[in-house]
Amino acid sequence: MQEPERKSERQMNRKIPIAKPNLGREEEEAVKEVLESGFLVQGEKTKKFEQKFAEYIGVEHAIAVANGTIALDVTLKALKLGPGDEVITSAFSFVSSGNCILFQRAKPVFADINPRTFNIDPSDVAEKITAKTKALIPVHIFGQPAEMDALKEIAEDKGIAVVEDAAQAHGAEYKGQKAGSLGDVGCFSFYATKNMTTGEGGMITTNDQKLARKARLLRNHGQSHKYHHDTLGYNYRMTEFCAAIGSVQLKKLDEINEKRRENAKLLTNGIRKFHGLTPPYVEKDVKHVFHQYVVRVEDNYPRDRGELADRLTEKGVGVAVHYPIPIYRQPLYLELGYGEKMCPNTEESCRRVLSLPVHPLVGKKDIKYMVDALKNISW
Ligand SMILES: Cc1ncc(COP(=O)(O)O)c(C=O)c1O
């Protein structure tokens, strides 16, 4: 009789989380410095972070805010969107991509995606444009830029604004140009799981001076100078703690992204061998920064997605489904009258996708472990 396979203690206890912030001593020192300075909110550290971020993205202006949802909200407010306006976006995204439109009492219109890249499909965008369309929000989903040339051509033709939801695409490039500098405005999130983080945080990037000024007013009570309030604004400011961490993270971003890209390459080399598991497709002319590494579980895979997810979880591999439900079928949207299965590729992707750990704290041994686990499960 064959001896049961004896796994090493380390292998049995291996835990590979789906996400883990990459923070160290330098971030700790940066936070301490803020504490000691006594100046805690939207000061010099924030200004410095904005300048560095604008330079990195290759735009004139960067406006730091409290999170990515607010970056989108402020942008759409600065664009003066309101009731009666339509905005086209993808339903295969985090809910903020649609909610930022609802905040303006405008109407989200969902275009379908390309099932290979999961990004919004320009041909469906063109079909969904009406006389009421005022803006287009392509989401650079999972860190891969959307088809910006085609989308910009449609937008220019119709005279509508392009707001990039770059919440997952720090450092990603399209034809050598950074995400966040491709449309009229870019919106970033620095949430804890993102490629660079400030815990919570967001940034708006643009070359449009007027829009930048409006965004700066809106995020700080509409205040043009001390106790002079020109417009109805909010308190959407970034703290100095977040800005200080952000500057350190920005310095590390290219290195972090390279590690993600290297991990993705190793995962793809391993996963390619398993029938019915399709690794992520990367377009030519883009730099994909793998915020998420998302495989498709096809019909000819021997297990369904739920079973695969459970088996990987049992083996200590953190997995997630980004995203299980299209935005238009979230309860909030059902109440608003959405709900038809209006985007077939989005529906299918929601059923098939599974994200595997790709973050920079995943090492080569972890990848080998994941590929071995998949080999075992894929029998
Ligand atoms: C595509 C997308 N848009 C917007 C957001 C909103 O960002 P935040 O969580 O910082 O509000 C996120 C964050 O998860 C996101 O992934």
Side-chain angles (χ1 to χ4, degrees), residues 275-294:
H275 286 294
L277 279 189
T278 307
Y281 174 78
V282 181
E283 288 276 20
K284 281 197 308 277
D285 297 336
V286 306
K287 182 176 174 188
H288 190 325
V289 291
F290 288 97
H291 170 57
Q292 298 294 350
Y293 182 91
V294 178

Side-chain angles (χ1 to χ4, degrees), residues 66-70 72 93-94 96-97 139 141 165 167-168 188-191 193-194 200-202 291 323:
N67 58 59
T69 305
I70 280 172
L72 287 161
S93 182
F94 185 63
S96 299
S97 308
V139 183
I141 200 78
D165 183 339
Q168 304 185 358
F188 290 85
S189 161
F190 304 123
Y191 178 63
T193 58
K194 299 295 193 257
E200 294 277 13
H291 170 57
Y323 295 89

Side-chain angles (χ1 to χ4, degrees), residues 1 48 111 254 338:
M1 212 171 67
K48 219 171 184 182
D254 284 343
Y338 289 83

